[in-house]
Structure formats: structure tokens, C-alpha cells
Amino acid sequence: MIYLDNAATTKPDLECLKAAEKYLTTEYFNPSALYKGGYGLQCELREAREKILSLIADADKFGLVFTSCGTEADNQALFCGGKRGNIVTTLGEHSAVFAAANELKQRGLEVRFANINADGSVDISHLLSLVDDKTSLVSVIHVNNETGAINDIFKIANAVKAKNKFTLFHSDGVQAFGKLRFKLTADVDLYSVSAHKIGGLKGCGALIKRKNLVIKPHLYGGGQEAGLRSGTENVFSIKNFQFAAVKRYANLTENYQKVCHIHSLLWSKLDKSLFTRISPADCSPYVLSVSAAGLRGETILHEADDSGLIIGTGSACSSNEKKRFSRTILACGYGEEIADGVLRLSFSSENTAEEAVAAAEILNKLVANRKAIMA
């Protein structure tokens, strides 16, 4: 099996699973308990928080709230940050942001959507034109989950603050964390990350927030996570997240270079008469989006699966919406013929050059055969 759907989820890192195993089997206490075992786990959570945060932010300026996933982190950012006036986001957001924004619209808040470019990046000029003195929140995805386009969120956040210093800036960083090297700046107020995109487990994420930023919780109850996210903490998954994140960042440059080679090799081997490239040349190397124009991407996905190749057709989260065409790809300006044939190939450092060559051969054969049948 060749697995090239790493943007949807990654294989859990077995070394990190083993290191975290004791928090599932022997140190299973409630971290809010007052006895020694519970207090010990509070210390473990503090360590995890500090370790993960230090990878992309200054601990003196930022804090971290553990959540159940990146989607919950996005929802907390929007529902707790977008409280008045209007909010501004983009047409290329992950569904966790896009759907949350539309729910805020249903609740009476004005929501403004900025256009995106053909590669999936935000049209910065249009976005800034939507920001005014009543904008409470701006949310821009860091790496587009369908095309891999990288938004310069630090430049954008700075420009947003120049227009309205009171506007909060949030970014969904799920496809950037553990893959790109960066540090959060003071202009970024809220930033979402997820564990299962970097070898951690599903069901664990975090919302990073500017330290002096006051927001209300999204979930109420026992007051865990400094009162910002009630619910007994999943210590096992959180510690696994810590180990996976630290390991990823220790090998960040090496992994990046390896994935760049795999990405370039696979694209070079694809038949350009069969595939249209959607991802920009300067995209995150972890995502390569192409289209077998005139065919259904879903059909190619299933045929590839039968051939031992696992790929995606876009955001896995959006597959539940049962919509034939990707909202993001249409917003890029492509017609339905291109949108229908979209395939998303996404990589991890565990992939090999041999897999890239084999994947291209499988896709070339399947698409050529399908086109011949339809001719």
C-alpha cells in the first residue's frame, strides 16, 4: 500500500505511542484530582503545554489551550473572538472555519468572505478592503488544506492591525504546524493546531492564544485549561502530541527536504497531457493538488485504492457534505470540469521516492484508461 493522504491524517508515530503508553495504562488518574497521582499529571500537562508552545511561540507572550481537535480550536477562536460588528475570513478556509463563520452569520453577525487566487491563497487586497472599524475578527488559513498554498499570515496580520488595532487575528495552522518553520508574531492572536496531522493521535489539538488576550470559553463545566476549555484532559493523547511535535521539529529541515524531493519527483512523473496542476510552485511540499480534467476524481480515487494507492480528492472533512464540487476549487476560479477531477496527493517523511514513482505510474495508467473508455 502507498499512502498519500497525509493531509487527511498521518500514521501514528509508534515511538511516540510507546512513550505515552503509561498515561493510558498506569498513570490514568484524573489530572484534576487532589491526590499525588492527579497532581503529577497536572505537572505532565504543564510540561506538554510548554514544550509544544515553545516550538512556534514565545511562552512569555502566548499560552496554549488543549482541545479535542483542530476543528474545536477553530470553533473556539471564531465563536469566542467574533462577538460584534463583522468578521472577515476567506473563501478558501477549512470547513471548520467556513462552517463556523456561516453559523455566526445565522446568529446575526455580519460575515465577509475575501476572494482567493487561482492557487488557493487569499487575495490580500480584497481581504483588507473588507476590514473596517467594526471588524472584530479576521481568520486566514496558514496553509490551504486543498492546494497547499501558503498564506503569509504574519504580513496579513500586520496589515489587518494597521487598519484596526482592535481586530483579533486567527489562523488555522493545522497544515503548517510541524511542517514549516515559523514563529508566531505579536500580531497573531489565535492559532489552531492538531496532533493527528504530524504523527499524533486523532482527538487532540490546541488553540494557541496571545497571553493577555481575554476570551470566554467555548465549553463550560469543571473549569479545566485555566477555565478556557472544560472537560477532563486526555493526558495520554496530549503527551503523545507533545512527543510527536518535539520529534517533528527536531527533524523539521530534514523532513522538509525529503518531502520536497518526493513532491517534485511525483509531479515530474505525471503525464502533463492528463493532469492539470492546481497547487502553486511555491506551495507547501506536503500537498500536491492536480486535476484529471473531464473525469471524476472520486472514480480515480476508488480505482487507485483498488491498485494499492490511497489518495484524496480534497478535504477529507468536507467529504461528509456530499457535494460533488470542492467549494475551494470553484472559488479558485476553476470550472466544474477541472473541479470534478481534482486529486489531492499529500505526503509525509515516511513516504519514499520509489512510492512517488509508483504512484505516478498508477495514476497515469488509470487516467489514460478512463479517458480511453470515455473517448
Side-chain angles (χ1 to χ4, degrees):
M1 179 191 76
I2 302 173
Y3 182 72
L4 297 183
D5 197 26
N6 291 279
T9 196
T10 55
K11 179 182 177 181
D13 186 293
L14 296 181
E15 182 182 38
C16 298
L17 273 176
K18 187 66 177 177
E21 185 179 16
K22 65 178 181 179
Y23 302 104
L24 189 63
T25 58
T26 58
E27 298 183 30
Y28 50 80
F29 313 110
N30 189 319
S32 295
L34 298 179
Y35 47 79
K36 184 169 64 175
Y39 177 75
L41 291 185
Q42 274 292 336
C43 296
E44 294 285 0
L45 289 176
R46 186 181 309 117
E47 179 188 61
R49 199 183 322 277
E50 292 171 353
K51 291 280 188 180
I52 295 172
L53 187 61
S54 69
L55 298 172
I56 62 168
D58 185 341
D60 292 332
K61 298 177 181 177
F62 290 90
L64 183 149
V65 180
F66 285 114
T67 64
S68 66
C69 56
T71 291
E72 184 189 330
D74 283 342
N75 272 248
Q76 182 165 11
L78 264 73
F79 287 111
C80 299
K83 289 290 189 181
R84 56 177 174 75
N86 65 74
I87 69 167
V88 176
T89 187
T90 86
L91 292 173
E93 295 300 304
H94 185 277
S95 56
V97 169
F98 194 80
N102 277 306
E103 175 58 26
L104 285 172
K105 185 177 181 180
Q106 292 295 318
R107 298 181 186 186
L109 197 69
E110 182 185 359
V111 179
R112 301 171 178 177
F113 292 99
N115 295 331
I116 57 176
N117 301 310
D119 62 7
S121 63
V122 64
D123 181 334
I124 298 177
S125 296
H126 187 227
L127 177 107
L128 293 175
S129 73
L130 300 178
V131 177
D132 58 27
D133 60 354
K134 294 183 179 179
T135 303
S136 58
L137 176 78
V138 170
S139 184
V140 177
I141 197 167
H142 196 167
V143 173
N144 187 288
N145 58 300
E146 294 194 42
T147 72
I150 303 171
N151 286 309
D152 187 345
I153 61 167
F154 308 113
K155 175 183 175 181
I156 297 170
N158 182 261
V160 166
K161 297 289 186 178
K163 287 203 71 174
N164 183 345
K165 65 180 180 179
F166 299 109
T167 298
L168 299 182
F169 186 88
H170 165 255
S171 181
D172 178 330
V174 167
Q175 296 293 347
F177 182 76
K179 299 173 183 180
L180 307 181
R181 191 173 298 282
F182 62 91
K183 285 287 185 180
L184 296 182
T185 64
D187 293 320
V188 177
D189 301 287
L190 298 157
Y191 192 84
S192 304
V193 298
S194 178
H196 75 103
K197 308 293 188 180
I198 59 165
L201 300 176
K202 303 172 190 68
C204 187
L207 178 64
I208 296 172
K209 61 177 285 293
R210 185 164 48 78
K211 212 160 200 177
N212 60 349
L213 174 63
V214 177
I215 61 171
K216 290 186 177 181
H218 189 43
L219 295 178
Y220 292 84
Q224 289 87 350
E225 293 300 291
L228 289 177
R229 200 279 181 183
S230 290
T232 303
E233 294 94 342
N234 185 345
V235 181
F236 168 63
S237 290
I238 289 171
K239 293 300 287 186
N240 177 264
F241 187 12
Q242 171 196 334
F243 300 145
V246 169
K247 184 175 180 178
R248 280 297 176 108
Y249 274 88
N251 300 289
L252 193 70
T253 300
E254 179 185 347
N255 290 345
Y256 186 89
Q257 292 172 346
K258 181 180 181 181
V259 171
C260 276
H261 175 64
I262 293 169
H263 177 120
S264 298
L265 180 61
L266 198 157
W267 171 242
S268 73
K269 297 296 183 180
L270 285 178
D271 187 335
K272 307 306 185 292
S273 70
L274 300 175
F275 295 96
T276 299
R277 182 176 178 126
I278 295 174
S279 295
D282 60 351
C283 68
S284 165
Y286 288 86
V287 176
L288 172 60
S289 185
V290 299
S291 175
L295 302 181
R296 289 205 66 179
E298 185 177 343
T299 299
I300 303 302
L301 178 151
H302 291 304
E303 291 182 341
D305 195 4
D306 292 339
S307 299
L309 171 63
I310 298 177
I311 57 176
T313 56
S315 173
C317 294
S318 297
S319 66
N320 295 320
E321 297 175 3
K322 305 301 181 184
K323 294 180 179 178
R324 179 162 178 172
F325 306 113
S326 162
R327 160 181 55 81
T328 296
I329 299 302
L330 292 178
C332 288
Y334 291 103
E336 292 183 352
E337 184 179 48
I338 291 287
D340 208 15
V342 168
L343 301 171
R344 183 182 70 175
L345 316 172
S346 50
F347 314 99
S348 82
S349 58
E350 292 192 353
N351 290 127
T352 65
E354 291 75 18
E355 287 179 330
V357 173
E361 291 175 352
I362 291 171
L363 291 172
N364 286 338
K365 180 180 179 180
L366 292 176
V367 172
N369 288 344
R370 180 57 55 180
K371 284 186 175 288
I373 291 171
M374 295 180 64

